[in-house]
């Protein structure tokens, strides 16, 4: 059995980039058996010194992904002194970016991981919005960043999804006179619940169009003005009990309403952080 060739990987972050590249290159040398030894979160010259001594002893290659210049300079200096082949995977491309875009990099490790975390946070928020849409599960009320309440056709669901795309966990609750509002709604801390209202004539037109698309008669009770007034009156009473901010969504785009919601949240955070 042939002796394994050792490659040392160093990173001031996780080191996934170095691992992926080294494995891709090593796979091309079929007759060789490689052992990859990875050291993540390198933060000092002492960390580097340990690897340099091991790499010299094992006659190994050192591959690294450093964005912190001090670490990179120290490793290059020591590798040169010990006659060790050290490969910098990031600097060639980083330098092209600097020259092309005339910008300096942040030199902060772990930024890729932070971007990934934002992506997964967004996915989690979207799954949350789907799960707790239209009061399917009232347990979501306590877990949500935002709880939207309002009568049917006040854009609660599309607004929930839009806010979820922004990373907020949103639950929405329809307010119907015949259905008692969830008790959890009245236990929410201030600033978590937002009420959505709409002009009666606007809601009347929206509901008639909705019935038409469903192939139903536009004069059904759902779209009658007296029914709409009853629902809006009931919703207003609930919103007053909850004590939540209210947004009028009449003739507003989802993006505009979402900005209003986020403005309210930011204002509430400022108030309660004082």
């Amino acid at each position: 059995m042939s002796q394994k060739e050792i490659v040392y990987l160093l990173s001031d972050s996780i080191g996934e980039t170095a691992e992926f590249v080294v494995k891709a290159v090593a796979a091309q040398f079929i007759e060789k058996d490689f052992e990859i030894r990875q050291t993540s979160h390198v933060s000092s010259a002492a960390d580097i010194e340990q690897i340099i001594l091991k790499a010299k002893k094992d006659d190994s290659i050192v591959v690294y992904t450093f964005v912190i210049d001090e670490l990179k300079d120290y490793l290059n200096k020591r590798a040169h002194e010990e006659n060790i082949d050290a490969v910098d995977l990031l600097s060639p491309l980083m330098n092209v970016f600097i020259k092309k875009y005339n910008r300096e990099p942040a030199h902060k490790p772990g930024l890729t991981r932070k971007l990934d975390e934002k992506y997964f946070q967004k996915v989690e928020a979207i799954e949350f919005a789907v799960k707790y849409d239209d009061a399917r599960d009232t347990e979501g009320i306590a877990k949500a960043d935002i709880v939207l309440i309002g009568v049917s056709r006040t854009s609660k669901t599309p607004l929930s999804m839009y806010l979820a795309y922004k990373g907020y966990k949103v639950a929405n609750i329809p307010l119907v006179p015949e259905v008692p509002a969830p008790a959890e709604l009245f236990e929410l801390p201030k600033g978590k619940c937002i009420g959505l209202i709409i002009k009666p004539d606007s809601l009347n037109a929206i509901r008639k169009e909705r019935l038409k698309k469903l192939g139903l008669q536009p004069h059904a009770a759902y779209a009658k003005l007296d029914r709409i007034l009853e629902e809006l009156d009931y919703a207003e009473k609930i919103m007053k009990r909850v004590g939540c901010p209210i947004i009028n969504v009449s003739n507003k785009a989802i993006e505009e309403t979402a900005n209003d919601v986020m403005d309210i949240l930011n204002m509430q955070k400022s108030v309660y952080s004082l």
Side-chain angles (χ1 to χ4, degrees):
M1 185 174 178
S2 62
Q3 183 180 356
K4 286 185 178 181
E5 300 290 349
I6 299 171
V7 179
Y8 286 92
L9 307 187
L10 288 83
S11 175
D12 47 18
S13 184
I14 300 294
E16 292 168 323
T17 302
E19 182 181 12
F20 181 82
V21 172
V22 169
K23 283 183 176 179
V25 172
Q28 297 299 315
F29 295 84
I30 303 172
E31 73 284 359
K32 285 286 185 181
D33 190 12
F34 291 93
E35 179 183 345
I36 296 172
R37 296 182 182 177
Q38 184 169 334
T39 303
S40 303
H41 302 295
V42 173
S43 60
S44 67
D47 294 336
I48 294 172
E49 193 63 33
Q50 290 181 25
I51 303 302
I52 287 292
L53 296 176
K54 290 177 182 178
K56 182 177 178 61
K57 177 177 176 292
D58 296 326
D59 190 23
S60 302
I61 296 171
V62 174
V63 179
Y64 65 94
T65 53
F66 288 155
V67 295
I68 299 174
D69 285 340
E70 291 79 7
L71 297 178
K72 182 167 51 179
D73 293 343
Y74 184 81
L75 191 150
N76 285 335
K77 172 177 171 291
R78 290 294 292 120
H80 178 74
E81 290 172 351
E82 301 294 344
N83 197 28
I84 296 170
D85 290 322
V87 182
D88 179 356
L89 292 182
L90 295 186
S91 287
L93 183 57
M94 189 85 76
N95 291 334
V96 172
F97 269 60
I98 293 170
K99 183 178 178 181
K100 175 68 177 177
Y101 302 113
N102 195 28
R103 293 287 187 277
E104 281 298 316
H107 297 293
K108 293 180 180 179
L111 293 183
T112 302
R113 176 65 58 179
K114 288 182 180 178
L115 290 174
D116 288 345
E117 286 173 0
K118 285 184 179 179
Y119 170 77
F120 288 115
Q121 180 184 356
K122 187 184 297 183
V123 170
E124 185 180 357
I126 291 171
E127 291 175 347
F128 186 96
V130 171
K131 182 176 181 179
Y132 297 110
D133 179 47
D134 212 22
R136 288 177 187 169
D137 187 344
T138 56
E139 286 187 6
I141 293 175
K143 300 174 184 176
D145 299 320
I146 310 166
V147 179
L148 302 175
I149 59 174
V151 301
S152 174
R153 312 313 296 175
T154 48
S155 302
K156 295 185 301 300
T157 296
L159 181 58
S160 295
M161 296 306 297
Y162 186 92
L163 289 167
Y165 187 77
K166 296 289 185 180
Y168 294 96
K169 292 181 179 178
V170 186
N172 74 77
I173 309 295
L175 300 178
V176 184
E178 293 78 15
V179 180
E184 295 92 337
L185 203 56
F186 305 104
E187 299 169 1
L188 283 173
K190 296 291 183 183
K192 275 189 78 171
C193 182
I194 294 177
L196 305 178
I197 61 170
I198 189 170
K199 293 178 181 177
D201 56 341
S202 297
L203 185 55
N204 179 247
I206 291 170
R207 287 190 175 183
K208 282 183 176 179
E209 185 62 27
R210 175 65 174 165
L211 290 171
K212 184 179 177 181
K213 287 182 179 179
L214 293 173
L216 302 173
Q217 294 299 320
H219 51 72
Y222 176 71
K224 285 185 177 179
L225 195 56
D226 56 350
R227 171 62 183 182
I228 287 172
L229 290 171
E230 178 189 0
E231 289 186 33
L232 290 173
D233 182 60
Y234 171 75
E236 186 178 347
K237 289 176 181 176
I238 295 296
M239 291 173 193
K240 284 181 179 178
R241 280 184 62 193
V242 174
C244 62
I246 296 173
I247 298 174
N248 192 323
V249 300
S250 304
N251 304 316
K252 275 189 176 180
I254 295 298
E255 295 85 353
E256 188 179 356
T257 305
N259 286 334
D260 290 342
V261 170
M262 289 185 284
D263 286 344
I264 289 172
L265 287 177
N266 291 333
M267 187 167 58
Q268 297 278 12
K269 284 179 182 177
S270 298
V271 169
Y272 292 111
S273 63
L274 294 176

